[in-house]
Amino acid sequence: MEHMYLLMIVALAILAAADLVVGVSNDAVNFLNSAIGSKAISFRTIMIVASLGIFVGAISSSGMMEVARKGIFNPGEFMFNEIMFIFMAVMITDILLLDFFNTLGMPTSTTVSIVFELLGASVAMALIKISANSSEGISDLSKYINSDKASMIIFGIVLSVFIAFSVGALVQYLSRLIFSFHFEKKIKNFGALFGGVALTAITYFIFLKGLKGTPYYKDLKGVVEGNELLIIAGSFVLWTVFSMIYMKVLKKNILSFVIVIGTFGLALAFSGNDLVNFIGVPMAAYHSYEAWTASGVDATAFAMVDLAKKVPAEPLLLFIAGGIMVVTLWFSKKARTVADTEIGLSTQGETTEKFKPNLLSRLVVRGSIYLSNGFSAIMPNSVLKSINKSFEKPVVTLPRSKSYDMPAFDTIRASVNLMVAGVLISIATSYKLPLSTTYVTFMVAMGTSLADRAWGTESAVYRVAGVLNVIGGWFFTAFSAFTGAAIMAYLIYMGKSTAIAILLFIAVLLLVRNYIAHRKRAQESKAEDRLMNAESSSVQGVIHESAQNIAHVIKRGNRIYSNAIVGLAKQDLALLKKSKKQVLKLSDEIDELRDNVFYFIKNLDDSSVGASNFYINILGYLQDMAQSLEYISKVSHKHINNNHKKLKFNQIKELKHIDDTVEDLFNESEDAFSSRSFEKIGLILDDKTKAYDLVKEKIQRQVERTRTEESSPKNTTLYFSLLLETKDLLNATMNLLEEYYSSHDSSVEPATINVDDEDAAGDQVESHKDSDTEE
């Protein structure tokens, strides 16, 4: 039996390493987003600074490990074997749950997951013990669960959401009122004070308050306690003088330095606070195993009172854990996926919105507009003008270009994000409260976005929906963690080593499956036939530049149409479902191109207005093609999914004949656009009646069949729908070809956006983003 527990310790160690990987992939967004979003420093510098912060935080985080040992349940009420079952259930559930959220690209809380997993597994084990003891009832559950501590932790996590959002919004609002979006001049005068305040807050709360939870604090206790105000005042003077020298002598932007220190501090705070979520349980299991083997008592009779005692830190384990976290930070692609969610929701300008609006988000936005209008009505106009002036954004003439990526927000907001999040997390750490770093950093970012008026009427309904979806995911995390761990604990208790082996095998399979699925999605997003925005400034330029887009649409449309016909003929539901997904993805990409029309037209000069008319027309034809393909895929899938009667052999044969003709047409068109041999389009147009006539002929045949032999109304409706929609698809395709053929002029050199103009625009952005401190 002893060998089983030793194997469990080995399995927990492996799970801890895997949990560190999936945990960091999710939590990396907490300390990277502000620096990445502002683009104030290079990505390589961000990663190096964050890595150093993680290492320092990892080796100083042992004070938080008590949460896993005695924070949620009373260890003395459980025997050694029961404790091991609880810990195994927690780790298997945790790694699966976090990987699930990483694959979705949704930020969730490793703290909430571990707290509710410990709670769920210990409650399940306590109920098993109560049911086996006739003298105990459900009221005795409080004997096993540390309800006061658990309630305080849960309440602290929920309260942190509201505090983080409110404090972030308030600090950002005041900062913007003082500095405005045109902060280049004001930063010269007040930058030293801002740097002094920000750096004092970051260094004091992270380096001194954060040390309270570590074994190294006793060496500094005599110096720090009782001298807090003196230390704060001294730090403020020191950092203010440093900021002044940094700006005046080195001619550097102090905000970039604040972002560097803030990223380091937040990474340190994350590592110090959240490391318990990944290795606290395995370390507690290891200490339990040590105590049990030393006792010589049977596993079912050894009460785990030793877990309630303080245990020495394990510097080597903490160092190894820090190393795994740093390696994951550098190589995890899932971390980038999760980061995109928060940066997208806090972007200052317009972006492709990831979330769809819902009823609640519309009500929230509508209520906020009414509230804002009410406040505006009672405030003096002079005050409103002064406030609005601070929130006027700089006008930057920059093409919507692939070659220049705008920052999501400026360095003022990035500094506030890091300062506020770091302070709140470090205060909680100093009181040994396992605060959710994800909740705090996310809600601070959302609060500063709201205060900065990033959620305008154009984007508010989408951003609010995104925030509500993420918060809803947090509640789902808590419920799933509690329920999943409870079920796991019950299965392990009932099945012992067999159940553990099966659950570990299933966990490995699911992790591999999620990895493959995420990798496949990442490859699809980089697919060669993804549609790209046009940047040219003349009709001929747009013709040449958009030719590849048209070739991609035709190629994908050809595949979608063929899949629909073949799936219908073979009654292949999986193929029809795939066809539906493909056409929805194509429609979304065409919608993105249409959303870009505003920026495309804005960047044209007066002599290039014709290019906008051409671009709008071809986008309209592309949308018509996508709508026809979507309808064909939808009705085909619906027919087979509802188990309706199969199409007759003659109908399938005729559809295949049409499919072959459409395939030939699309292949010729794709070749013409891929090779930019626009003269070939004329030859294709000469034969356009061939496809039209074929569809008309099949329609007439079906009319005759319906009058004489057809007996299935569903089949008749489907067949007519497919033929008529194919006719519309051909019509849209021919209109597209005619637009290109009539507009193309081989004697004119295609004009594009001037590279020098674009570089100048990029320099203009850099001047707004990275203010120079020279007088």
Side-chain angles (χ1 to χ4, degrees):
M1 199 65 171
E2 183 178 347
H3 294 300
M4 184 186 82
Y5 296 117
L6 181 60
L7 290 174
M8 287 177 72
I9 293 294
V10 174
L12 284 169
I14 296 171
L15 285 173
D19 205 26
L20 278 168
V21 172
V22 296
V24 173
S25 295
N26 196 284
D27 276 8
V29 302
N30 299 335
F31 48 85
L32 294 180
N33 280 353
S34 293
I36 293 174
S38 67
K39 301 187 184 298
I41 49 180
S42 69
F43 185 76
R44 182 182 176 82
T45 304
I46 294 169
M47 297 295 283
I48 292 172
V49 169
S51 300
L52 291 172
I54 285 176
F55 253 127
V56 175
I59 61 176
S60 63
S61 66
S62 59
M64 290 294 296
M65 296 297 167
E66 294 179 19
V67 175
R69 296 199 314 274
K70 59 181 181 179
I72 302 299
F73 56 87
N74 297 317
E77 299 295 330
F78 295 93
M79 300 302 114
F80 171 68
N81 66 320
E82 295 163 347
I83 285 288
M84 292 299 291
F85 294 158
I86 289 172
F87 288 158
M88 183 61 73
V90 166
M91 290 304 292
I92 293 174
T93 307
D94 195 58
I95 194 170
L96 291 177
L97 189 63
L98 291 180
D99 190 67
F100 171 73
F101 274 92
N102 289 348
T103 305
L104 290 180
M106 294 282 281
T108 193
S109 170
T110 54
T111 306
V112 167
S113 64
I114 203 74
V115 165
F116 278 90
E117 282 153 4
L118 283 166
L119 188 60
S122 56
V123 165
M125 195 59 65
L127 291 175
I128 291 171
K129 289 173 69 70
I130 290 171
S131 64
N133 189 341
S134 58
S135 63
E136 290 185 336
I138 193 69
S139 59
D140 293 300
L141 187 62
S142 58
K143 182 175 75 172
Y144 297 94
I145 307 301
N146 191 348
S147 54
D148 292 339
K149 182 70 172 177
S151 299
M152 185 178 73
I153 290 171
I154 295 168
F155 178 73
I157 290 171
V158 174
L159 186 63
S160 69
V161 171
F162 299 100
I163 292 176
F165 185 84
S166 304
V167 174
L170 178 62
V171 175
Q172 178 61 33
Y173 188 76
L174 295 175
S175 300
R176 191 61 71 192
L177 280 179
I178 295 169
F179 291 103
S180 79
F181 279 97
H182 303 269
F183 55 83
E184 293 84 359
K185 292 182 180 178
K186 289 187 177 181
I187 207 72
K188 296 174 185 176
N189 301 321
F190 302 105
L193 287 174
F194 183 83
V197 171
L199 292 170
T200 299
I202 291 168
T203 54
Y204 175 76
F205 283 104
I206 288 174
F207 295 115
L208 294 181
K209 282 287 187 182
L211 282 172
K212 277 191 178 181
T214 72
Y216 313 106
Y217 181 69
K218 60 184 179 181
D219 299 326
L220 299 170
K221 187 175 181 180
V223 178
V224 174
E225 290 188 1
N227 298 316
E228 286 86 353
L229 290 177
L230 188 62
I231 292 172
I232 292 173
S235 298
F236 174 71
V237 172
L238 177 67
W239 283 118
T240 302
V241 172
F242 172 83
S243 300
M244 194 175 297
I245 294 171
Y246 191 81
M247 293 170 63
K248 300 294 183 183
V249 178
L250 300 179
K251 307 296 183 184
K252 299 286 187 180
N253 181 8
I254 191 60
L255 296 177
S256 298
F257 185 78
V258 170
I259 291 170
V260 169
I261 297 298
T263 301
F264 175 83
L266 200 55
L268 184 149
F270 150 76
S271 184
N273 188 282
D274 280 19
L275 192 59
V276 62
N277 302 336
F278 313 127
I279 69 169
V281 167
M283 285 181 71
Y286 175 69
H287 293 142
S288 301
Y289 180 76
E290 280 187 323
W292 172 67
T293 51
S295 70
V297 180
D298 187 74
T300 59
F302 183 64
M304 290 309 306
V305 291
D306 285 13
L307 276 186
K309 302 174 184 177
K310 285 196 173 184
V311 294
E314 303 283 352
L316 180 61
L317 291 178
L318 294 174
F319 183 80
I320 292 171
I324 294 173
M325 293 168 83
V326 170
V327 171
T328 302
L329 184 67
W330 280 88
F331 293 103
S332 174
K333 287 183 172 61
K334 287 187 178 181
R336 313 286 173 86
T337 306
V338 181
D340 289 342
T341 299
E342 186 177 317
I343 292 176
L345 289 173
S346 56
T347 299
Q348 187 68 46
E350 299 300 320
T351 184
T352 302
E353 302 295 347
K354 183 177 179 179
F355 298 94
K356 295 186 182 299
N358 52 50
L359 177 62
L360 187 55
S361 69
R362 293 187 184 100
L363 291 174
V364 169
V365 171
R366 195 171 294 127
S368 300
I369 291 172
Y370 289 146
L371 193 63
S372 175
N373 291 339
F375 276 117
S376 299
I378 61 175
M379 289 186 72
N381 287 333
S382 57
V383 175
L384 281 176
K385 284 182 181 179
S386 177
I387 292 173
N388 290 334
K389 189 175 181 181
S390 295
F391 285 89
E392 286 179 359
K393 298 174 182 64
V395 177
V396 179
T397 306
L398 181 72
R400 185 83 158 190
S401 166
K402 299 186 290 287
S403 58
Y404 192 85
D405 192 13
M406 290 279 288
F409 40 79
D410 63 16
T411 49
I412 291 285
R413 175 131 64 98
S415 302
V416 171
N417 283 347
L418 291 165
M419 176 174 62
V420 174
V423 167
L424 292 177
I425 291 167
S426 298
I427 290 174
T429 304
S430 68
Y431 290 105
K432 297 184 181 179
L433 291 174
L435 190 76
S436 169
T437 56
T438 302
Y439 290 7
V440 170
T441 51
F442 182 83
M443 293 310 293
V444 166
M446 295 305 101
T448 57
S449 302
L450 178 66
D452 231 9
R453 301 186 181 180
W455 298 355
T457 52
E458 297 284 323
S459 60
V461 71
Y462 305 100
R463 307 280 176 90
V464 172
V467 173
L468 293 174
N469 279 344
V470 172
I471 293 175
W474 296 346
F475 285 104
F476 176 74
T477 300
F479 175 78
S480 302
F482 183 91
T483 308
I487 294 171
M488 291 283 187
Y490 177 76
L491 292 175
I492 291 171
Y493 179 82
M494 297 301 292
K496 305 295 189 294
S497 58
T498 305
I500 292 171
I502 293 172
L503 289 173
L504 285 173
F505 179 71
I506 293 172
V508 171
L509 283 181
L510 290 174
L511 288 173
V512 171
R513 177 178 171 274
N514 286 345
Y515 172 77
I516 293 172
H518 183 271
R519 188 177 179 183
K520 185 178 178 182
R521 277 202 297 270
Q523 288 173 344
E524 284 176 357
S525 68
K526 295 180 180 178
E528 60 178 2
D529 55 356
R530 183 171 178 82
L531 306 186
M532 305 302 293
N533 290 324
E535 296 172 7
S536 298
S537 58
S538 70
V539 174
Q540 302 309 312
V542 173
I543 286 174
H544 280 266
E545 190 180 357
S546 62
Q548 200 60 43
N549 268 354
I550 305 303
H552 291 157
V553 172
I554 292 173
K555 175 185 174 183
R556 291 163 69 178
N558 194 2
R559 186 166 61 240
I560 291 165
Y561 187 84
S562 293
N563 285 347
I565 300 303
V566 172
L568 196 59
K570 295 182 177 180
Q571 292 189 302
D572 188 341
L573 194 61
L575 186 60
L576 291 170
K577 190 174 181 181
K578 182 180 178 182
S579 179
K580 272 184 70 178
K581 286 184 178 179
Q582 289 174 337
V583 76
L584 287 174
K585 187 172 183 293
L586 178 62
S587 296
D588 288 342
E589 290 181 30
I590 293 173
D591 286 342
E592 284 182 29
L593 295 184
R594 289 182 70 87
D595 292 340
N596 185 64
V597 166
F598 170 81
Y599 302 99
F600 175 78
I601 295 173
K602 289 281 282 186
N603 293 324
L604 295 175
D605 54 40
D606 293 338
S607 61
S608 305
V609 178
S612 63
N613 293 329
F614 175 80
Y615 191 54
I616 290 168
N617 286 339
I618 62 172
L619 286 180
Y621 297 138
L622 289 179
Q623 193 168 47
D624 291 342
M625 290 173 67
Q627 285 172 350
S628 294
L629 290 168
E630 186 173 351
Y631 182 81
I632 290 168
S633 299
K634 181 181 175 183
V635 295
S636 301
H637 178 269
K638 181 181 176 182
H639 187 85
I640 301 301
N641 197 35
N642 288 340
N643 300 306
H644 292 316
K645 189 183 292 184
K646 187 178 180 180
L647 290 178
K648 292 185 176 181
F649 176 76
N650 285 338
Q651 291 174 322
I652 293 172
K653 186 178 178 182
E654 289 173 1
L655 283 176
K656 195 68 185 80
H657 187 191
I658 293 173
D659 181 31
D660 291 340
T661 305
V662 171
E663 187 172 359
D664 291 341
L665 170 66
F666 278 10
N667 284 337
E668 291 174 8
S669 301
E670 182 193 345
D671 179 62
F673 283 104
S674 295
S675 61
R676 289 173 172 74
S677 304
F678 298 107
E679 62 277 0
K680 291 182 181 179
I681 296 176
L683 299 175
I684 298 170
L685 289 171
D686 289 341
D687 284 341
K688 72 177 182 178
T689 55
K690 176 184 175 183
Y692 279 132
D693 291 343
L694 180 63
V695 175
K696 288 179 181 178
E697 178 192 335
K698 304 306 180 189
I699 292 173
Q700 185 58 39
R701 283 193 186 181
Q702 180 60 28
V703 170
E704 293 171 3
R705 273 198 299 266
T706 303
R707 292 176 60 84
T708 58
E709 59 187 74
E710 190 63 68
S711 60
S712 172
K714 296 289 184 185
N715 277 15
T716 303
T717 302
L718 173 67
Y719 193 68
F720 276 131
S721 297
L722 292 174
L723 293 178
L724 291 172
E725 207 60 46
T726 299
K727 189 177 176 183
D728 288 345
L729 174 64
L730 291 171
N731 190 43
T733 305
M734 292 304 174
N735 286 338
L736 178 74
L737 295 175
E738 286 176 355
E739 184 75 32
Y740 268 89
Y741 188 66
S742 61
S743 300
H744 177 249
D745 187 347
S746 58
S747 65
V748 178
E749 185 72 22
T752 59
I753 290 169
N754 191 293
V755 176
D756 295 332
D757 293 342
E758 188 168 348
D759 290 340
D763 293 338
Q764 186 180 352
V765 172
E766 290 296 329
S767 69
H768 282 288
K769 180 189 77 173
D770 203 14
S771 57
D772 195 289
T773 53
E774 290 187 63
E775 293 291 340

